[in-house]
Amino acid sequence: MKLSIIIPTYNEEDYLENVLESITRQNYPNLEVIIADANSEDQTREIAKSYDCKVIEGGLPAKGRNNGAKVAKGELLLFLDADSVLTTNYIHSMVKEFEENQLGIAITQIIPLEKSTINKISHEFANFMIKRIESIKPHGAGCYGIITKKELHEKIGGFDEKLDFGEDTDYIERIGKIAPFKVLRKPKLLISTRRLEEEGLKNLSFKYAKSTVYQLAGKKITAKELDYNFGHEKHENKRIVYSLCGEGLGHAIRSAVIIEYLLKQGYDLIVFASDRAYQYLNNKFENIYEIKGFNTVYEENKVRNRKTFVNNMKYVPTDLTNNLNIMYKLSKKFQPDMVISDFEFYANMLAHLIQVPLISIDNMHVITESYYKTPTKYKKDQVLAASVVHSFIQRQAKTIILTYFYPPLKNKDAIYAPPILRDKIFELKPSNNDHIFVYQTSDSNNQLMSVLKTLNQKFIVYGFHKSDVDENITYKSFNEDEFFTDLSTAKAVITNGGFTLITEALYLKKPILSIPVNKQFEQILNAIYIEKLGYGEHHSKVNQKDIIKFIDNIEKYRVNIEKNYSQESNNDTTFKILENVIREV
């Protein structure tokens, strides 16, 4: 019995060869392959012709499948998606089971091409559900591989071309009313998880769940209602891949402000982030994709470089492969004009891999791109930090350095910009109550807490991931609204050397006692300039005497900040610099 395989396509050069190659390996004696193409702008048609396929005019999937069926010479029709791959002996086992069960229409089960636990579980669940409801309601999609008889296709008038979503389920249901339907048990079809990667599990699950509920209730839903697109259209707006470091929340906080601005300006973005940055941004925006990042090991307020190196090296080979695989596939489809990195390692590699300009925007590059004096005891930390910065970002087209201090620049391709602050910070009306705001990058600085308990002073502490009251210390878990209130009403701030909190505190005119994480040179440099500019004090360790001295001098430091520190009540200057850099590159 002759089989006609019909595949609708639009810009499928990255996938079509895989499915055609898998068809040639089937060794099925009597088949033809028909490509119904919707005016692809890439090499889709050329690839199809190189495999001796019959290429005809297509359109949306329903129209493409119908056009293919019109010219098909086979008694059996198999409808496939272009991003599927046939497993060994797929056609033989499919036709055999179809004929033995005297079926009129059937679908096969699916296996994800891209291997991961979530892919495996989600596809096994899809197979389970489709088998459970087969006797209740014939149901399925083109990605499952739809096999039917040509005479039945013609009897029902083919796919409904008025439908732009769910046309395959509608087709299966209508044939299922006049002929037996079944989910075939033996043949398995490999399918791409590109939609899952492009849209995210949460978004895609919602779309398919919504469509399934409608279809089981006998209702129709449109692609527009689901924001579902066929093929790979090219975007007219500037397309940007934005990738950021996931350690801490500083990078995530400022990146959220930048991402929101770029979206409002009409840019198309996909964003890669790891750890806490991914969690923070994924609750705010669409098109946020999770990758794995590097993590620093802290003990007793000190960076443990050896443990950090060993811990990260265990995962680098796997993370490198998985991250670049995800980032490259999505970027290949998205076709970005540039990559913007907020100190994210893999963005640097991606930009050079896909050969688009790289823009760096962070506060770290002041370490490598400017002239400043470092005390001798920090020289080793400076050299190590500089080597990390150089390894993370290389051959960037432009470097935007966010900063509150301005040492001379070495490089003409580097430019300073004011710190990025959240709108909520700009909206605050600061006051000076009786508490001191304390924030710690890691919860390992127990020595500081012991000192604070000996003082006749109220402290509100964030960073220890707990809510508790211990004498004069109130510990709070992170809550954005409470965090802002406590910061804006504090009379001073004790923190490490994190850039984001320091710049927020300076904008609110809060004197700062900075105790940078030991060997964390970026924080050390921030703290050095806090003291140098007269905005507060820098201590490697603190005792009771140091904190009492700082408290006694709070008013002096506040006057210095009010006199010398200036920042606009918006981010317009920095956004203008970013816009100019984007145009330039």
Side-chain angles (χ1 to χ4, degrees), residues 283-351:
N283 290 325
K284 294 178 178 290
F285 305 102
E286 302 292 331
N287 299 324
I288 310 297
Y289 300 97
E290 186 173 17
I291 57 175
K292 299 297 182 182
F294 295 91
N295 291 291
T296 305
V297 177
Y298 300 97
E299 290 179 358
E300 296 300 321
N301 203 43
K302 180 178 180 180
V303 175
R304 297 296 180 181
N305 289 321
R306 185 182 296 276
K307 286 188 178 181
T308 296
F309 178 80
V310 171
N311 188 59
N312 284 301
M313 285 305 103
K314 286 192 296 185
Y315 303 105
V316 162
T318 302
D319 289 351
L320 178 66
T321 302
N322 293 342
N323 287 353
L324 285 182
N325 186 39
I326 292 169
M327 297 171 82
Y328 179 78
K329 283 184 177 180
L330 286 169
S331 298
K332 185 77 172 174
K333 187 260 181 183
F334 184 62
Q335 296 183 353
D337 297 293
M338 67 194 67
V339 173
I340 297 178
S341 172
D342 185 341
F343 205 61
E344 200 286 299
F345 175 75
Y346 296 101
N348 170 70
M349 302 178 73
L350 176 69

Side-chain angles (χ1 to χ4, degrees), residues 32 35 65 67 103 198 203-204 206 253 258 273 411 442 489:
E32 63 176 349
I35 303 298
R65 290 168 182 150
N67 288 355
L103 302 174
E198 290 165 6
N203 292 337
L204 196 60
F206 172 77
I253 286 168
I258 296 171
N411 188 342
S442 77
T489 58

Side-chain angles (χ1 to χ4, degrees), residues 25 48 406 460 485 546:
R25 292 197 297 266
Y406 299 87
I460 297 178
T485 300
D546 292 328

